[in-house]
Structure formats: C-alpha cells, structure tokens
Amino acid sequence: QSALTQPASVSGSPGQSITISCTGTYSDVGSYNLVSWYQQHPGKAPKLIIYEVTLRPSGISDRFSGSKSGKTASLTISGLQDEDEADYYCCSYAGSSPFPYVLGSGTKVTVL
Amino acid sequence: VQLVESGGGVVQPGRSLRLSCAASGFTFSGYAMNWVRQAPGKGLEWVAVIWYDGSNKYYADSVKGRFTISRDNSKNTLDLQMNSLRAEDTAVYYCARERTVGNHDVWGQGTTVTVSS
C-alpha cells in the first residue's frame, strides 16, 4: 500500500478558503466512502475533523468540509482563521487486508 | 472519555518495550483500537489495529513480526509489545479509539519511545 498523496503545504490569508487534496487509488479512496481527515497542532495528538468523506464530529466547525471525486478526496477550510494553522492528514480505509488503513503524507497549512 | 498511554522511554536497539493504553469513560470492549506513531518531524504512521474482541489483528509491514497488539477488555487496557526495537521505531506512540471503520474519534496524548544506544 502506498501513501495517499497530499500537497506538502498550502497557505491562505485569514478569511480565505483553501482546499487540500488527497489522491489515492481505486483500491482505497476510490473504492470506499471511508476517508477521514485529522488536524494536528505541534506537540498535540491528532484530532478527527472529518469522517466518512463528508461528516463532521460533534463540536467541529462547519468551516471544515470534505468531498470526494473518484480517487481524490478533498478538505476545504472556509473562512480561514489563525487557529487553523496546523498539519492535516487524510486517511482512507483500504480493505481489511493486508492493512486496513492508508495515510496521507500530511499537509502543512499556513495562515499568512 | 479518555485514553492514557504509558510505558515509553529510552531503550537500546534490539531490546523490548511494552506500551499500555488505559481507557475510561466508555465501553472499551465495544470498540476496535489502534496504535499510530509519529517519528520526530515526520508524518503519522498507522502501526496496528485490533478488533473489539481481539479476534483480528493487523500490522504495518514495518513492524510485522516484531510488534504485538493485544487488549484486556476486563481491565480496559490496550497494549503494544515491541520487540527487536530499531532506531527507526523512535516516535511518539498514540492509541486511538475506532468508533466505526475509518472514524478514529478519541486519541491519547501519546507516549515517547526513543531507541538509542
């Protein structure tokens, strides 16, 4: 299983919208609506912000939204805020064997 | 709802270490559990997965044959036995609850493992 492809970095000004892409294969992203996104601030544990492609856990701002087309999933952050500056990882279910999950390489979001 | 990891430390290459994750605030036996690690300055890496009842276990290729994931549902604990440790196993290790497939909604604070002579 190869890692999902994410851009290394994305930046935007406060109030703008940014989109992070996550490209896999038809064995993972393209086969299952089981893509999740995690936000990680420096020195902190990852935090789930999107699951099952589009769903937000309770307490997550609606400024975060997810989508998928074919083998590429995307995370959009609208109304960018300073606290959104963090690393973001996508993850896809890839079937039970040999290993259930494949991760993206991570994207550093910088708020200018 | 909380997960608390313990057991990290400094260990020499080739030695063993056992990590634990104590769960509280939820019915531990109802959830699959995962270990995820992050090497210094690197991205996340999924390490191991265990089903809610321990009947199925999965390992990343990088740890297969060296690491063993286990759980004790009577004690609400998740373990990771790490043998034949290598320098590249140096990382912060997180345990995570798998609410549904692909939905890892609760994470511990992490425990640091350093493999060095």
Side-chain angles (χ1 to χ4, degrees):
Chain A
Q1 292 170 319
S2 299
L4 305 177
T5 300
Q6 297 181 235
S9 63
V10 173
S11 61
S13 300
Q16 287 187 328
S17 293
I18 62 169
T19 297
I20 303 169
S21 61
C22 169
T23 301
T25 70
Y26 287 110
S27 295
D28 39 64
V29 176
S31 287
Y32 306 97
N33 288 323
L34 292 170
V35 176
S36 51
W37 290 88
Y38 301 87
Q39 176 193 62
Q40 187 181 36
H41 287 105
K44 300 295 187 181
K47 178 182 180 181
L48 178 69
I49 57 172
I50 294 288
Y51 67 101
E52 294 177 18
V53 179
T54 63
L55 302 180
R56 282 187 308 276
S58 175
I60 299 301
S61 171
D62 60 4
R63 296 186 300 103
F64 295 93
S65 62
S67 63
K68 191 187 87 167
S69 178
K71 58 182 183 177
T72 297
S74 298
L75 172 71
T76 297
I77 309 175
S78 305
L80 200 61
Q81 299 180 359
D82 289 344
E83 63 256 35
D84 299 332
E85 184 161 298
D87 293 323
Y88 292 81
Y89 296 89
C90 62
C91 175
S92 176
Y93 181 68
S96 59
S97 182
F99 194 78
Y101 297 109
V102 59
L103 271 165
S105 45
T107 297
K108 169 67 177 177
V109 168
T110 301
V111 181
L112 301 172
Chain B
V1 176
Q2 192 175 15
L3 297 172
V4 178
E5 302 95 337
S6 62
V10 180
V11 62
Q12 292 179 329
R15 303 297 291 265
S16 298
L17 202 62
R18 190 176 186 91
L19 305 183
S20 290
C21 170
S24 60
F26 65 98
T27 304
F28 179 70
S29 60
Y31 296 88
M33 296 295 295
N34 295 232
W35 285 100
V36 180
R37 70 183 180 183
Q38 186 169 37
K42 302 296 184 181
L44 301 175
E45 179 187 15
W46 233 274
V47 173
V49 179
I50 185 168
W51 280 22
Y52 69 101
D53 60 355
S55 61
N56 282 284
K57 304 174 185 180
Y58 304 92
Y59 299 93
D61 286 345
S62 57
V63 306
K64 198 172 295 183
R66 301 187 299 121
F67 289 13
T68 301
I69 189 171
S70 62
R71 64 190 298 158
D72 186 335
N73 286 342
S74 67
K75 296 181 179 178
N76 293 343
T77 57
L78 172 74
D79 288 340
L80 186 68
Q81 177 66 41
M82 304 186 296
N83 298 332
S84 303
L85 282 162
R86 306 166 180 169
E88 54 264 37
D89 296 318
T90 294
V92 176
Y93 286 73
Y94 298 99
C95 61
R97 183 179 84 168
E98 187 170 328
R99 188 180 182 203
T100 57
V101 175
N103 178 356
H104 298 84
D105 65 334
V106 180
W107 293 67
Q109 84 289 350
T111 188
T112 300
V113 173
T114 302
V115 183
S116 174
S117 54

